[in-house]
């Protein structure tokens, strides 16, 4: 018999379905074909508010479906009859941007007449390819702040039709130690004044909350991390190590001991 793990209550609601959210048929089909059948608490709480058009500051644990949450909100607002960008999703890394774009493609596959067109614009890749992509139909811009700002300032990306701005992993985008905040503020200022702004993260500092409030109009708060930011289904362990040894031989023995421990315990993430 296969080992079936029951999803915990912070990942999936046992008493609700996506039908309860009264989504359009094309979005319901997109969710089903992408393998999403029951919404998570953050999806139940944030999707109806986002579809209503309010600004949102959403705090929810990693792995509970924040990408699908803003993906549904964005896909619901896009008109495929227009080829111009109508939504923008900013991410702190290339990998996160590509992940968001992949989710949007799947959720919007049923949009008529030809599906949701989502372009990924990140640093480190050819700028000329980005320009060519924007010359064809592109409904949603997903990218890293530096590259998106450059496209806007060079007037390669038309901002006038964009009505939704999503800040994914907003704590990283507005981090004091990062270099994104100036880009975020510049991009926000170049977009139309009347736009919906959505911020998603597992954690926020008080300063970041204040800054987000300055970028939004009477934002609604969805906080599902009141007690902990760790998933209920995740087991966490730690190993307290003795002080660093003095000799090379002792250091080597300590390293081998650590390696043997890591090899004996199945894990997905580790940090010092």
């Amino acid at each position: 018999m296969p080992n079936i793990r029951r999803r915990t209550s912070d990942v999936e609601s046992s008493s609700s379905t996506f039908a309860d959210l009264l989504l359009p048929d094309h979005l319901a089909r997109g969710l089903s074909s992408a393998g999403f059948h029951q919404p998570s608490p953050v999806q139940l709480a944030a999707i109806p508010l986002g579809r209503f058009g309010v600004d949102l500051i959403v705090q929810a644990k990693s792995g509970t479906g924040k990408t699908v949450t803003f993906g549904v909100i964005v896909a619901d607002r896009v008109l495929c009859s227009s080829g111009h960008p109508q939504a923008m999703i900013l991410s702190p890394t290339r990998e996160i941007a590509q992940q968001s774009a992949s989710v949007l493609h799947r959720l919007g596959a049923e949009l008529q007449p030809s599906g949701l067109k989502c372009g990924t614009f990140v640093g480190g890749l050819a700028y000329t390819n980005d320009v060519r992509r924007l010359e064809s139909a592109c409904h949603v811009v997903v990218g890293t702040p530096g590259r998106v700002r450059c496209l806007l300032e060079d007037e390669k990306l038309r901002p006038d039709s964009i009505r939704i701005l999503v800040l994914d992993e907003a704590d990283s985008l507005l981090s004091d130690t990062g270099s994104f905040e100036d880009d975020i503020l510049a991009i926000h200022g170049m977009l139309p004044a009347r736009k919906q702004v959505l911020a998603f993260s597992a954690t926020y500092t008080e300063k970041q909350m204040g800054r987000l409030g300055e970028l939004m109009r009477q934002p609604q708060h969805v906080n599902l991390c009141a007690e902990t930011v760790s998933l209920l289904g995740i087991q966490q362990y730690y190993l307290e190590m003795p002080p660093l040894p003095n000799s090379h031989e002792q250091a080597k023995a300590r390293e081998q001991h650590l390696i043997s421990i890591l090899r004996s315990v199945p894990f997905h993430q580790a940090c010092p």
Side-chain angles (χ1 to χ4, degrees):
M1 180 179 295
N3 180 21
I4 300 176
R5 294 185 177 180
R6 182 181 297 275
R7 294 192 175 186
T8 53
S9 59
D10 53 351
V11 175
E12 186 175 271
S13 171
S14 60
S15 59
S16 302
T17 67
F18 281 109
D20 297 326
L21 298 178
L22 303 177
L23 299 174
D25 289 342
H26 64 81
L27 268 179
R29 291 194 300 269
L31 283 162
S32 179
S33 63
F36 301 106
H37 304 290
Q38 286 186 289
S40 67
V42 66
Q43 292 159 4
L44 281 174
I47 287 176
L49 290 170
R51 293 182 67 208
F52 191 66
V54 302
D55 290 358
L56 291 177
I57 298 176
V58 179
Q59 185 172 358
K61 302 175 185 179
S62 298
T64 58
K66 294 192 294 295
T67 304
V68 171
T69 301
F70 64 71
V72 168
I73 296 169
V74 167
D76 183 52
R77 301 284 299 278
V78 166
L79 297 176
C80 285
S81 56
S82 170
H84 299 307
Q86 299 161 54
M88 177 182 292
I89 301 169
L90 298 178
S91 305
T93 69
R94 178 191 306 179
E95 292 75 19
I96 295 175
Q98 292 170 337
Q99 174 188 341
S100 296
S102 175
V103 171
L104 262 293
H105 277 301
R106 289 186 287 162
L107 293 180
E110 300 287 336
L111 266 70
Q112 298 300 321
S114 57
L116 183 70
K117 305 299 182 185
C118 184
T120 308
F121 306 91
V122 298
L125 300 181
Y127 186 81
T128 53
N129 291 342
D130 289 348
V131 175
R132 282 196 294 268
R133 190 176 297 112
L134 289 169
E135 290 172 350
S136 59
C138 179
H139 303 122
V140 182
V141 170
V142 184
T144 48
R147 176 57 60 92
V148 171
R149 178 180 181 178
C150 186
L151 289 166
L152 285 168
E153 290 179 337
D154 290 348
E155 299 184 350
K156 305 299 183 182
L157 170 58
R158 292 178 52 181
D160 49 287
S161 57
I162 295 176
R163 294 293 180 266
I164 305 176
L165 172 63
V166 178
L167 303 180
D168 187 17
E169 303 294 343
D171 61 332
S172 295
L173 293 175
L174 299 176
S175 171
D176 290 336
T177 59
S179 58
F180 297 125
E181 186 171 0
D182 288 344
D183 293 331
I184 297 298
L185 296 178
I187 292 169
H188 183 275
M190 284 186 276
L191 298 183
R194 293 191 62 82
K195 57 182 174 291
Q196 182 182 16
V197 182
L198 312 173
F200 290 79
S201 182
T203 60
Y204 295 100
T205 65
E206 186 175 340
K207 180 180 178 181
Q208 290 166 352
M209 283 286 196
R211 178 51 56 91
L212 287 171
E214 296 171 0
L215 301 178
M216 299 181 177
R217 300 188 308 272
Q218 298 180 327
Q220 299 294 305
H221 294 255
V222 176
N223 185 0
L224 298 175
C225 294
E227 297 180 359
T228 176
V229 297
S230 299
L231 290 172
L232 298 177
I234 289 182
Q235 293 178 307
Q236 300 186 63
Y237 304 89
Y238 72 93
L239 179 65
E240 187 172 347
M241 299 300 296
L244 289 173
N246 296 322
S247 69
H248 175 74
E249 291 76 13
Q250 290 175 331
K252 197 68 177 176
R254 183 177 185 267
E255 178 184 336
Q256 292 301 317
H257 178 58
L258 281 172
I259 291 174
S260 67
I261 292 174
L262 293 175
R263 285 177 175 170
S264 65
V265 178
F267 69 95
H268 298 282
Q269 292 182 337
C271 62

